[in-house]
Each structure stands twice: as structure tokens, then as C-alpha cells.
Amino acid sequence: MNIAIAAGHLATMGNLPAESNVFVGRERDLTDLTSILDRVRAVTLCGPGGIGKTRLALELAARLAGGYPDGVWISEQAEAERSERLVPLIAAAVGVRAELDRPLSETLAEALAPRTMLLILDTCERLVADCAELVEWLLASCPGMRVIATSREPLRVRGEVIWRVPPLGLMTAAWPGDAPEPDIGAVAGSESVRLFNARAAAVRPDFKLTAANAAVVAGICRTLDGVPLAIELAAARLGTLSAEQIQLRLTSRFELLSRGDRTAPPRQQTLRAAVDWSYDLLSDPERLLLSRLSVFSGWNLEMAEQVCADDAISTSEVLDLLTALIDKSLVTVEHELDGAVRYRLLDTVRQFATDQVADPGELARIRQAHRDCMLALAEKMVRSALMPPDPSWQERVDAYHQAMTDWTNYLLALEYCAEHGDAEEGMRLCNAMRIAWLAAGDQSASEWLDKFLGQAEDSSRAGTASPVRPGVKARALVVRSEIAFEQQDYVAAERYAQAGLSLSESCEDGNTAAARRMLALAALLGGRPSDALDEADAAIAAARQAGDGWEEGIILSIKAAAIASQGDLDGAYAGYQQALAALGYTRGWAVANVRYGLGRLARLRGDHAEAGRHFGDALALYRQVDARPQMARCLASIGQLALDAKDVASARASLTEAMTLSLVTGQRQAIARGVAALATLAVASGDLATAVRLAGTARTLFEALSAPQPAALGRLDALVEAARAELGSEAVLSLLAEGRGMTAYQAVRQTLAPAADQPKHHEPASWPGPLTDREREVAMLVAEGLANRVIGDKLFITQATVARHIANIFGKLDFTSRAQLIAWVVKSS
């Protein structure tokens, strides 16, 4: 499918979570904050835990999303235990990936600099000073960025507007003693009561505000000072208590607490009291389970049973206790994944639950149980995804998405291993996460592996711990080689592979086939095809001896590439077919790699139709696991095929999407190659001036890389020389200078400019799909790259109405992003 990315839509549209319940109140806050964000670039929503900072930030961001063409993103800083984790958390949230030869902070800044985007940094109080430095750096590096931070205290950065999030509005008027009944309308209109009613309906659908209970409900909300979390916790008790009982217990509880810490701010006392009160109403087993659940960053029932059950809580009791905690609003239901419901704790509740663990030994034991659970899940994922009997490709995709969902849990487990010097368990976890790390392009694995390999060496020399089993270490060295290869550090990849091979050959449970595979790859990339063939043959023999069809198929594809590099295209084709036969149809990731190799081979043979089929098949498989670098590679190849066929429109669509994906991930080499491809596209479009500008941009990008790119630079020089003959030397020098001053984002917009200057698409006589006339109008304007506010102005409707139309369109067409909608409009037009 041809996909065109409109100017201004160069990144996916954000990662805001879907909220499970309706947002209540705060209309004035939202109006004022919207106005403030038109004028300033940083707003910090301050207030105690439970006051609703995060929910307000999410609602505000959702309403403003139409004004940020490069998306609205949230990064949860609560998971950062150390300052060095802040940048990786943001990079992971927005999809930017690390590069070998520069700090992640530089890659992130360069990737985000051209974007017009809104970033939420949630829960900054744990590392408030570090978050403040981070925000100042982001704002200085990214002129189109605005930041909403949530924190219990201000960041104190330059230009920051501090917004103290107030409690929800209360019904403050006293009841006249002789009034026959209260003013129901006045009570029901207050924000606090509206929230209480909305949450009460979830646990007691028959609950209604009446003359008999209005004063009581208003009293509950006044007692709780309008703190949203406290109100929600109180409303949750309606499942077992009446409103009158809730009010009575709250009053007596607060009287008791008033004799406690008088120095704490009143609202913090109120919130603590509300959570403490809910906690006091729990049974001992419910309290114990809540404290144990605090070690998770989200979980499902099976995980809770594995970590939290013991002699004190049996496995069969976990479900009923968890249900009780959900009913009391202490555990939140998130979503369903692969047939299992996911749960989480609000950050305030999680901190409170952790504080209730009086015995440090208990917390350490539960954290170790969490580590063991995640290790078991990761190794189970590997067995089910890679080992016989083969699961379907969809089952493998589901396993990958499960790993992505539990990514933070895996990181918490790795941190436990690092803190306690558990090098073997850390290596096992890294080994099990190998496929997910490679598919996601997350190269932080190198840091973890280096740490555990170093710990193993230190403990071995000091004799302070049990040595890591050779097979575990051998596999870890191979994974380290694979990560180095992804980082394009081929020297390190070969070094680690050789170390892994030496260790594998001396033990029974190493991975000789994979080690030799990496040596074959290093030789191939190093221009030594004969050595690559020798290593590949040895690797194939080792894979067959181990009965590992996955490894055998991958190695056969590498051997085919080595054969192709020697000019034997028929032999290479036979090799790729052997690889497909070894892999079967269930190992989609490896099959996609083979299909891509077959596509390149077909293009070399001049069979563009077959090449297009192979690239398209590979792209479809890569899309299922959102493997963006590989998707970009396929799209670039499809674009080159279109250029070969002089299909400029199709080439433009594929090459610009490829560039979009490379810009999102921040990979400089892919971006430089993409701009060079766009320069070739401009030549094919007859726009030599744009081609020369883009050549200047591409040359600057290539020169900034640490590794030389003589072939790419030679092609750019040839393009410029050809243009010089037609445009003249002086004009070419001027255009090159312009190009050298452009960013990669501007280069993409240069490519899109000819299409933007042409007449807009006309709606076809018969549109596919079930859209109404108004929805079709909105879809056409979205495809032109217009923000919701502009669309509303053109159609004389509100921005909110535009957002509703787009949501309806997404629902009818099963889309999740504007890029998909743009692609559909382009294809349909």
C-alpha cells in the first residue's frame, strides 16, 4: 500500500493512554491552562499525591493534541530510580533509539529538535533537580516543544509557570436548619459530588443523589477536602457501606489522625488519612497482598500468584483478595492483553503500600520473587517462541507484545540482579530478552551485559561468589555480539563472538551455532566473503547437530548473502530458498530477513516485480512487531524500485515514510541515506534545484558520522556534477550551501513541497468504507496535514467536534494514527 506522509506529520501521533473512566470537573483549570500553553513552553502541575495532577495533564494534553502535529507524548519519571535513567525513559516513550558513537541525549535532542510536540513528564518529585535540568535542556534543544510536568514541588526552571492544582470544587453553603430538603441541584453541580457520583455508579449502579443523602454526600466531600483520590476511595466503599456509614467512619478517623503529625500540610494529612483509612478497613491478608503487589509495575493474575503466594497467602486466595482490592479502588484495572487482564497500583498507593512493609527482609524476599517471576516468564517466552514444537507466527507476535508490556518489570528485575551481584541471573534474563531487544532496537542491553560480565569477572577473581555457569556466560557473550552488531560496531561484535565461541566449545550448553553465525556476519561486513562462507558452513553444521531450525535458517540466509557478494546470483537464490525451507512459516522475524534478502537479489537480477513482492512480504511481517528500522529499510527499497520504474508518486510515498520512521528513531546513518534517496527522487521529479539542496543536506549528515561513507558520497557527487551542467556552477554552489543549512525534517518537507503545491486531491466518486459525508470531508483535510483547529475553522465546527469525527473514522476503519488515515485517503484518491 502506498503511504504518503503529509508535511507536519513526520512522527506518530503520541502515546497517551486510553482512560478507563470519564474525566470530571476542572473546566476552569483546563480553560486557563490552555491559554497559558499558548504563551509559555513549560507548565508544572503541582500538588500533593492524589490531587489529580496526572489526570489533569492527560486531559489537557488530549484536548490540545490537534495543535501538535508531531504528537503528544507522556514519559513516566516515577520509574527512574537514578538520574541516568531519565533520558532513556523519554527516548523509549517517543521511540528514539541509541546510537553507538554518541550519547543517547545527543541522539534524542537531534531527533526531537525539529518537532512541534507536547511532552508530559509525569511524577518528577523523586528526582526533581535532575528533572529540572532535563526540562531546561529539552526546551533549549527543541524550540517546537512544550512540556507539562507533574510534581509535588515546582521544578524551578526558567520560564516555568507553576500551576497549583486545587481540590475539586465543594458545596460550601450550610444547610438551613428549617429547610424541608436540601437544594439537590446545588449539591449535584459541585465538582466533588459529581466525581463521587460517577465513581459510585461503578460499584453501585443503583446509587443516586437524593434529598435523603445529598447532605451526607456533600459532607463526605467536604471532609475529604475535594481531593480526587480520597473521594474515589470513599465512593468505592459504597459496595459494602452506606453513605452515612462512610461519613461516620471518616469523621471519627480524622479526629484520631488530628492528634498525629500536625506539621504536615492539611491536604497531605487528608490524603494520607483517606488511604490509611481504606488500608485500615482491609483484612490482614488484603494488606499483605497489597504490600507485595507494590513490587510490580503492572501485572496479571498469574504473575501475582507466582510472586505473592506463600504460606501466608495461598495461590487459590490471590484472586479473591485481588478482587477485594479492586472493589476498594486500591488496585486499578488497566486493559486486557492476550486474554489476561492487567492491573496496576496508582503511584501514591504503591508508595503507601511499600511503606507498610515493616520487615526489610520481607521486601527483599518479594523483590527476589519478582525477579524470579520475570526470569521465568522471559525464559518461557524464549521456549515458546523459538523451540519446538513451533508455535504460530501470531503466537510469537503475541509473546513479543507481552514482553513489551512488561518491559519495566524486566528492567526492575535487572536492577535487582545488578544491586545484589546476581550476575548469572542477570545474564540469563538478558539472554532471554535477546529477541525483544533486537526487534525493539533497544541497545541498552549492552550496558546490562557489560555490567554482569564485569561482575562475574570481579567475583571470579575475588572468589566471593559462585562462578557463572559457562553455558550462560557463552550465550551472554553471543547476545553482546549481536547488540554490538546492531550498533554497527563490527570489531566488537567479532571480539565478543570469538569469546563466546571459545567458551561454547568447552561446554555442553553454549551456543556454538550462534557464535559462528556472528563471526560469519562480521567477516561478510568486513569484506571477507570466503571467511564468511567457511564460518557459515561450520555454523550450519552446529545448528543441525543441535536441531535448531531457527539458527539454521538464519545462517543459511547469511551464507546466501555471502554467495551473492561473490556474484553468484543463482547460487544465492538457492541458498535463500534453503533458508526459507529450514525456517518454515512460523518464524516470521527470520522469514522477513530472508524475504528482504530475496528482494535485494531479485532487484540485482532485474526482476522488479518479484523484488517488490519480497520487500512487501518482509514489510508486512516487520510491521506486526513495529520493527521500525527494518520497516524503513524495506520502504526505502520499495521506493527505489518505484524510482527504477519511474513511478515518482509511489516512490515519494514509500521514501517519505521510510524517512519518517528513521527520523522517529533518530538513527543518523539511516537519516542520511534517506535524504540521499530523496535527492534522487527530486532528480526523477525533474526538480534539480531541490535535488542539489538535498544533496547538500545529505553530505552534511554523512560527514557527521564517525564511519566514512565513500560510496554514498560518490553518488551524491555524481548527482551534483550532473546538475552543474544544466544549472551552472554558481547556482549549484548556492543550492548546496542552502542544503547544508537544512535539517533532515526540512529536507522531507522539501520533498513534499511539489505535492503540496499541486491541486488538492478530489474526492473519488465512490469511497470505500462506511464514512459519512462529513467524515469524508474531515478525512480529506487530515490528509492535507491540517491540525484539528484549522479543520474546525474550515468546516465551521468546534475543535472538539473535529476530534470526535476523527475518533469515529478511526473506529470505523480500525485505524490508530493519522498516518494510517493519510495512507488510506491517498490510496482511495
Side-chain angles (χ1 to χ4, degrees):
M1 178 174 68
N2 291 337
I3 296 180
I5 305 298
H9 287 278
L10 298 177
T12 52
M13 296 305 295
N15 65 341
L16 293 187
E19 295 298 336
S20 57
N21 48 40
V22 66
F23 185 84
V24 176
R26 301 208 184 278
E27 287 83 3
R28 182 170 181 177
D29 295 286
L30 289 165
T31 299
D32 291 347
L33 285 165
T34 298
S35 176
I36 288 170
L37 278 167
D38 277 340
R39 306 190 306 270
V40 304
R41 296 181 59 208
V43 170
T44 301
L45 306 182
C46 288
I51 201 67
K53 303 183 293 294
T54 299
R55 191 64 195 274
L56 176 59
L58 290 172
E59 182 68 16
L60 177 63
R63 296 190 183 194
L64 294 175
Y68 293 92
D70 294 314
V72 178
W73 307 82
I74 180 169
S75 176
E76 297 181 5
Q77 305 305 294
E79 303 298 341
E81 301 293 339
R82 305 184 305 275
S83 59
E84 57 266 27
R85 287 292 303 150
L86 294 175
V87 169
L89 281 170
I90 295 174
V94 301
V96 171
R97 296 174 181 176
E99 297 179 285
L100 171 66
D101 55 348
R102 65 176 351 191
L104 177 57
S105 58
E106 292 183 14
T107 299
L108 180 67
E110 187 169 312
L112 299 187
R115 301 188 193 180
T116 300
M117 61 178 285
L118 178 63
L119 176 65
I120 301 173
L121 295 180
D122 190 35
T123 316
C124 294
E125 59 267 11
R126 291 188 179 182
L127 297 167
V128 65
D130 297 303
C131 285
E133 290 184 15
L134 181 62
V135 169
E136 287 192 335
W137 168 71
L138 284 170
L139 294 178
S141 305
C142 311
M145 177 185 289
R146 277 175 165 73
V147 174
I148 300 174
T150 72
S151 176
R152 298 192 186 188
E153 59 180 298
L155 300 188
R156 308 292 184 193
V157 300
R158 184 178 306 170
E160 168 194 27
V161 169
I162 300 167
W163 185 270
R164 303 284 181 181
V165 179
L168 293 176
L170 297 164
M171 175 66 189
T172 57
W175 301 112
D178 57 352
E181 61 182 31
D183 182 348
I184 300 296
V187 175
S190 75
E191 290 181 327
S192 294
V193 173
R194 285 163 55 197
L195 178 63
F196 186 93
N197 287 343
R199 301 303 183 254
V203 294
R204 241 177 73 183
D206 62 335
F207 179 82
K208 293 181 180 177
L209 195 71
T210 66
N213 65 22
V216 174
V217 172
I220 290 171
C221 294
R222 281 199 302 273
T223 301
L224 296 174
D225 283 347
V227 176
L229 177 59
I231 292 171
E232 293 189 354
L233 290 170
R237 300 305 302 174
L238 281 173
T240 53
L241 300 173
S242 69
E244 290 78 5
Q245 288 175 305
I246 291 173
Q247 185 182 37
L248 177 63
R249 290 169 181 257
L250 276 176
T251 302
S252 61
R253 184 58 173 152
F254 279 99
E255 288 175 357
L256 175 64
L257 286 175
S258 67
R259 303 188 186 96
D261 183 5
R262 298 179 183 275
T263 63
R267 290 181 188 133
Q268 288 184 9
Q269 291 182 30
T270 300
L271 176 66
R272 173 74 184 196
V275 180
D276 202 6
W277 171 68
S278 290
Y279 183 77
D280 259 7
L281 294 175
L282 301 179
S283 66
D284 287 341
E286 289 169 349
R287 293 181 189 180
L288 183 58
L289 180 62
L290 183 67
S291 65
R292 291 178 175 182
L293 291 172
S294 68
V295 301
F296 284 106
S297 173
W299 69 91
N300 60 28
L301 177 60
E302 182 182 1
M303 295 163 68
E305 290 172 339
Q306 290 182 29
V307 173
C308 302
D310 61 4
D311 293 340
I313 300 177
S314 69
T315 302
S316 61
E317 291 177 303
V318 171
L319 175 58
D320 289 340
L321 293 173
L322 179 60
T323 301
L325 294 174
I326 294 168
D327 291 342
K328 297 173 176 66
S329 290
L330 291 169
V331 169
T332 300
V333 178
E334 275 200 299
H335 59 271
E336 187 174 314
L337 177 68
D338 295 336
V341 175
R342 300 281 304 186
Y343 312 93
R344 68 179 174 91
L345 295 178
L346 296 177
D347 188 60
T348 300
V349 176
R350 183 181 178 187
Q351 291 181 38
F352 178 91
T354 302
D355 292 343
Q356 304 314 303
V357 184
D359 180 7
E362 159 76 358
L363 184 59
R365 187 183 68 79
I366 296 301
R367 285 191 66 201
Q368 181 175 337
H370 173 268
R371 188 276 312 274
D372 293 342
C373 171
M374 299 316 302
L375 179 55
L377 284 177
E379 292 184 335
K380 178 182 177 182
M381 176 182 68
V382 170
R383 288 194 300 273
S384 64
L386 300 181
M387 310 231 174
D390 285 340
S392 68
W393 169 237
Q394 186 56 53
E395 288 173 318
R396 296 180 196 272
V397 171
D398 292 343
Y400 170 77
H401 288 304
Q402 179 71 52
M404 293 299 100
T405 299
D406 277 315
W407 203 251
T408 302
N409 277 318
Y410 286 121
L411 294 179
L412 290 172
L414 287 168
E415 286 181 0
Y416 179 88
C417 293
E419 289 171 11
H420 292 79
D422 296 339
E424 176 163 321
E425 288 79 2
M427 288 185 203
R428 286 172 57 197
L429 194 50
C430 289
N431 294 346
M433 293 173 67
R434 161 184 165 253
I435 295 297
W437 255 321
L438 293 172
D442 186 342
Q443 296 163 9
S444 63
S446 60
E447 299 173 17
W448 290 110
L449 282 164
D450 289 346
K451 184 184 294 291
F452 296 130
L453 288 167
Q455 285 182 345
E457 289 297 324
D458 292 343
S459 62
S460 178
R461 284 193 295 267
T464 57
S466 300
V468 176
R469 285 175 292 169
V472 173
K473 185 176 180 181
R475 290 177 179 272
L477 286 164
V478 173
V479 175
R480 184 65 182 87
S481 173
E482 291 175 318
I483 299 298
F485 186 85
E486 288 296 313
Q487 294 172 327
Q488 298 171 8
D489 187 351
Y490 304 128
V491 173
E494 188 167 12
R495 184 176 70 251
Y496 285 116
Q498 188 61 63
L501 175 62
S502 299
L503 201 51
S504 292
E505 290 180 333
S506 66
C507 64
E508 294 182 357
D509 56 346
N511 198 345
T512 300
R516 288 200 176 278
R517 162 170 54 85
M518 294 310 301
L519 289 172
L521 270 175
L524 180 59
L525 270 293
R528 308 190 317 271
S530 296
D531 292 343
L533 288 171
D534 291 342
E535 290 292 354
D537 284 336
I540 291 167
R544 287 173 177 167
Q545 183 177 0
D548 192 339
W550 175 285
E551 274 294 349
E552 182 184 351
I554 294 175
I555 299 163
L556 282 166
S557 69
I558 294 170
K559 180 179 179 180
I563 293 171
S565 72
Q566 294 181 319
D568 183 0
L569 301 188
D570 291 337
Y573 180 81
Y576 279 125
Q577 293 301 323
Q578 285 182 309
L580 286 178
L583 290 168
Y585 295 99
T586 63
R587 298 177 171 120
W589 174 265
V591 170
N593 291 340
V594 176
R595 290 289 182 194
Y596 180 78
L598 280 167
R600 294 187 63 186
L601 187 62
R603 188 180 179 212
L604 287 173
R605 299 172 70 175
D607 191 340
H608 287 190
E610 183 179 357
R613 284 194 297 272
H614 287 307
F615 289 142
D617 289 346
L619 177 61
L621 291 168
Y622 286 136
R623 283 195 191 280
Q624 292 186 52
V625 291
D626 196 31
R628 295 182 180 186
Q630 289 75 21
M631 289 160 58
R633 184 177 64 181
C634 286
L635 284 160
S637 296
I638 291 169
Q640 291 295 338
L641 287 176
L643 279 178
D644 293 345
K646 303 191 183 310
D647 184 352
V648 175
S650 295
R652 187 188 309 279
S654 295
L655 292 175
T656 49
E657 191 190 1
M659 269 295 295
T660 297
L661 292 168
S662 297
L663 286 166
V664 167
T665 58
Q667 303 299 287
R668 289 177 298 159
Q669 181 167 309
I671 291 169
R673 288 175 176 170
V675 174
L678 295 180
T680 306
L681 173 67
V683 172
S685 304
D687 187 354
L688 284 182
T690 296
V692 175
R693 289 192 196 94
L694 294 174
T697 307
R699 175 169 276 281
T700 300
L701 293 170
F702 278 124
E703 289 170 354
L705 299 175
S706 57
Q709 304 282 329
L713 292 173
R715 287 191 293 269
L716 289 173
D717 289 342
L719 184 154
V720 170
E721 284 305 312
R724 198 185 306 274
E726 186 166 336
L727 300 177
S729 296
E730 187 174 339
V732 165
L733 288 174
S734 176
L735 291 167
L736 282 173
E738 287 181 39
R740 283 185 171 275
M742 290 197 312
T743 66
Y745 266 70
Q746 290 168 332
V748 178
R749 290 190 173 98
Q750 282 271 316
T751 304
L752 291 166
D757 292 339
Q758 294 169 4
K760 301 301 180 186
H761 290 294
H762 295 289
E763 184 177 332
S766 176
W767 276 67
L771 302 190
T772 65
D773 289 342
R774 176 62 86 183
E775 287 166 353
R776 292 170 187 168
E777 286 183 291
V778 171
M780 293 296 295
L781 294 172
V782 168
E784 293 178 17
L786 303 182
N788 288 9
R789 183 171 58 252
V790 180
I791 294 173
D793 292 342
K794 283 182 172 288
L795 299 180
F796 302 101
I797 57 178
T798 67
Q799 185 173 333
T801 302
V802 174
R804 282 197 297 273
H805 282 312
I806 294 174
N808 290 338
I809 294 168
F810 283 5
K812 290 180 178 181
L813 301 179
D814 195 25
F815 290 165
T816 58
S817 72
R818 289 189 179 224
Q820 290 174 296
L821 178 56
I822 293 166
W824 182 82
V825 171
V826 171
K827 184 180 180 182
S828 303
S829 299

